[in-house]
Amino acid sequence: MSRRKNDNNGLIDRYGLYIVLAVAIIARIAYLYQYHALPDWQQLTVDPNYHHHWAQDIASGDIFGDTTYFRAPLYAWCLGLLYAIVGDSLWGGRLFGVLIGLASVGMTYVFARRLFGPQAGLGTTPEAEVKSGARAKTDLGAKVGFVAGMIHAVFYMALYFEPELLVDPLYTLLLLVAMDRFVVWYRSMSAKDALWFAVWLGVASITRPNALVMLPVVLAMLLVRWREMSTAVAQEAIGHGATGQTSDDVPMMAGIRPMVKQAGMVILGLVITIGPVTVRNIIMAGDATMIASSGGINLYIGNNPEADGVSAVLPPPLGPNWRIESTVMLAEKDLGRELTPGEVSSYWSGKAIDWMMENPGRFVSLYGEKLSLFFANTLISNNRELYQFIERVPLLDLNPVRFAPVLGLAVIGLLAGAWRSRPLRWLVVFVVLSILSGALFFYATRFSLPLWPVFFVLAGYGVVRVAGVWRESTNRGIGVVAAGVVVAVVSYLIAPPEAEGVSTHALIEAGTYHYSTGDYELAGRFFRQAAQIDPTWPGINTNLGTVLLQKQQIDSGMAYLKKETEVNPWYANAWTNLAYAHLMRGNPQAALPYAQAAVEREPYAYGPNMAVIEALQADSTVSQMLFLAEAKAAAKRTGNDVFLLTAIGDYLLNREQASAAGEFFRMALEAEPPAIEMDHEAFRHKHRNSRENVDNQRAMAAIQLSYIEGMAGRVGPAIEYSLRAVELAPGLPEAYLNLYGGYKATGRLVAADSVLQEAAERFPGDANVRELMRGR
């Protein structure tokens, strides 16, 4: 019996990691198989959309961006590198997350084994100690690592979040590595290990800045170790000193130099990793933001008159569909000057703090609700109805490995002796500080993901040690198990705060996705479900009205849009779509006031300004001078939006204003897309301002300029513009046809024939190309 037990221990010791990874791989393959069969597979939600589009920009060559990072950049950099190598397929992005998750499972095993292996000095019982250099009879760390890794391998929310194109899985992995290096450093207290820990902490921080909560823990640990070292030096001095000497006679400065060196290595590691991001923000935007500028608005989301703790809802005129551009506009309007993104973040932080100070009772209550959710078994997601999704995925629905039992086992682990690990104590303090600071913002289940591995490790220790505790003392064993059961039950019972916005937003997000695919029937179904929850929710009536407009049900659509303007008069989209409804009716004069009302609410936005231009264009009584003046004003308001500029140029060309049209086309040709770091369009299903879309628009402007120059007899410039169009968008046949015409007009027949041949190969189905080929 004893031999078989030793063999089993050896099996776990030698092959535990491989078994854990094998289970993790099988679980993830099964999950992807079940997930891929659902229509949800194609539906990226808000944050995944942003990361996907940002990575596409990076893959296209925009590596450093144009302004201060709104979000920490490392995940987007990694995803962008992947897209540059294998293409921007959804499978590639999802598999990348799964591979990160597998690495995290492996790190959980390694982390637990390091914490509780022979080098930890914990032995196999609370009383047993392993002397330096000796090996325990049983590798406790291997057992704990095996159980912790198995929990992580099949934990249902880890399976769910890993393929979702979110920051959290990568942050989980990097934070795990940083915590593992912290344990190594704590035991060695060498400068090299301090540096490595800081480098990994810095890398985690440029994935999500929350990792910097570790710094107070590091400072406290160094102070304690300094005190311990000073005491040890003092005791040694007493042992060699004169009779009657006390520790008070030994200077407390003993040991300060190595501690300062350790701190210096931590600072150096952070400067190496975070410093380049800060310098980049300064160079690109003149903004000394350390990493990212989203902290202020996120703090305000969690602390404002409309806050419920779990929804990204802001007071009007921002509401639940707030845009980054709106937060900038309101801050600059209030302060009366142009602000950097970092200053905008500080403005909203100040608004949040003001609300906390003015509403202390509500703040404390809301803070307590958010704090409790970090220990709750309940699931919170702003962008998908998780419970309904889980019900459709058997591997998640039938999975018993959920947070409440893991939390209960973690408590058992702590009480069973895990707390005796000194580096683990500091990491538990870090987890507590992370939860305390995280509750200042707003809560979603995924924000807990990076902290769960610590719970997995504690739970693993609880599983391994609970029987031994029971054998040592029945009463203690009963007390430890009872405490774990009570905590697990409480976790099950914690209910989320009232938050209609969560389920409403998830339905609206699903409807918006299907609207973007052209499935207006299904989109309307989701929007109607959301309206049943709250018919006054900002944007819901606009969505319903817009779907009806797409289905040519103009009267019904306008009824919903008018209702939106009554219940949420600040919501610009409702006014924009009312303008388009009147244009659909052929009444541009009625459309214009609605378009202008939309511009008053969102002067920077393309939609309202385009509605103004279209209303003016459709009104035959509007003079050329007025149209041109309004067009210039709209272009200025939108920061020379390339889509607006090309549309204005087309309208002016139709009005036979070739000179004025050329001016707008030239502006469009030189236009750049908004910096994706602060472009709210990147959060949408279809990124209007993607590099490809913008280049296509600029190419269309070049084609029109080529036409204008050709009609004026200036063939040379016409050819140059055609070449520019081909360079910008080689997928547009019009660019090749213009270039062909230019070469032919100048007698460059060989070049013309070559261009036409290339067009025929690229666009074999294009009627104009085929006609020219037949006439050669």
Side-chain angles (χ1 to χ4, degrees), residues 31-355:
Y31 175 66
L32 290 176
Y33 175 77
Q34 294 175 3
Y35 185 11
H36 183 255
L38 300 177
D40 306 71
W41 176 268
Q42 294 294 333
Q43 181 190 334
L44 293 180
T45 53
V46 177
D47 287 343
N49 270 324
Y50 179 69
H51 299 142
H52 177 61
H53 294 141
W54 188 2
Q56 286 177 322
D57 256 30
I58 292 171
S60 70
D62 185 23
I63 298 173
F64 297 107
D66 300 296
T67 189
T68 306
Y69 289 126
F70 184 71
R71 296 275 181 88
L74 186 62
Y75 175 72
W77 284 346
C78 294
L79 192 61
L81 177 61
L82 176 73
Y83 285 176
I85 296 171
V86 303
D88 58 356
S89 73
L90 194 53
W91 262 110
R94 293 200 187 282
L95 286 175
F96 176 57
V98 169
L99 291 175
I100 290 171
L102 286 172
S104 295
V105 171
M107 268 311 305
T108 296
Y109 174 92
V110 171
F111 177 52
R113 188 161 187 174
R114 193 181 307 281
L115 274 169
F116 299 111
Q119 70 273 29
L122 297 179
T124 58
T125 69
E127 293 78 19
E129 294 290 339
V130 179
K131 295 184 179 180
S132 177
R135 179 175 176 83
K137 294 180 180 179
T138 301
D139 190 342
L140 177 65
K143 286 186 172 183
V144 175
F146 181 77
V147 177
M150 290 294 282
I151 293 172
H152 196 164
V154 298
F155 189 69
Y156 77 140
M157 280 293 97
L159 294 173
Y160 169 76
F161 281 121
E162 287 169 5
E164 290 303 303
L165 273 68
L166 291 165
V167 167
D168 309 85
L170 180 60
Y171 177 54
T172 300
L173 172 61
L174 296 174
L175 193 62
L176 256 172
V177 176
M179 290 190 291
D180 182 70
R181 300 316 302 173
F182 175 83
V183 175
V184 172
W185 172 39
Y186 183 89
R187 288 174 179 159
S188 72
M189 290 311 292
S190 76
K192 181 184 73 174
D193 288 333
L195 178 63
W196 275 114
F197 156 72
V199 166
W200 283 107
L201 184 67
V203 172
S205 299
I206 61 174
T207 308
R208 174 170 285 168
N210 307 52
L212 294 175
V213 173
M214 188 71 178
L215 291 181
V217 177
V218 169
L219 178 60
M221 183 273 289
L222 286 174
L223 290 173
V224 169
R225 296 302 293 264
W226 168 45
R227 178 78 183 187
E228 290 172 350
M229 183 177 294
S230 298
T231 301
V233 170
Q235 291 174 347
E236 184 178 352
I238 292 170
H240 295 86
T243 302
Q245 187 178 16
T246 68
S247 60
D248 292 338
D249 299 322
V250 180
M252 283 298 293
M253 291 303 291
I256 190 66
R257 182 174 294 177
M259 291 302 104
V260 170
K261 184 177 181 180
Q262 303 284 320
M265 289 295 101
V266 171
I267 294 171
L268 176 61
L270 294 176
V271 169
I272 290 171
T273 49
I274 298 175
V277 177
T278 307
V279 170
R280 176 258 176 215
N281 286 339
I282 294 171
I283 293 172
M284 293 296 178
D287 185 2
T289 295
M290 182 183 295
I291 299 173
S293 64
S294 60
I297 195 64
N298 284 334
L299 185 64
Y300 188 60
I301 288 172
N303 303 276
N304 69 75
E306 303 290 328
D308 58 25
V310 293
S311 302
V313 178
L314 294 171
L318 292 169
N321 303 309
W322 59 275
R323 298 172 59 96
I324 298 174
E325 298 92 336
S326 297
T327 66
V328 175
M329 181 187 73
L330 292 174
E332 291 182 341
K333 182 178 179 181
D334 192 18
L335 297 181
R337 60 184 177 88
E338 188 174 340
L339 303 175
T340 66
E343 290 172 329
V344 172
S345 181
S346 297
Y347 170 85
W348 291 108
S349 294
K351 295 277 286 186
I353 293 170
D354 289 345
W355 181 86

Side-chain angles (χ1 to χ4, degrees), residues 549-585:
L549 291 184
Q550 289 290 352
K551 297 166 72 174
Q552 299 300 311
Q553 299 176 27
I554 299 175
D555 290 342
S556 299
M558 290 183 71
Y560 277 108
L561 293 169
K562 287 179 179 176
K563 182 179 179 181
E564 186 79 67
T565 62
E566 293 167 2
V567 295
N568 299 300
W570 47 270
Y571 192 63
N573 283 354
W575 298 92
T576 300
N577 285 293
L578 271 171
Y580 280 112
H582 282 289
L583 287 171
M584 291 172 70
R585 278 184 162 179

Side-chain angles (χ1 to χ4, degrees), residues 1-14:
M1 184 72 177
S2 175
R3 178 175 295 177
R4 182 177 299 173
K5 181 176 180 181
N6 287 338
D7 289 345
N8 289 339
N9 289 337
L11 180 68
I12 292 174
D13 196 358
R14 292 194 300 271

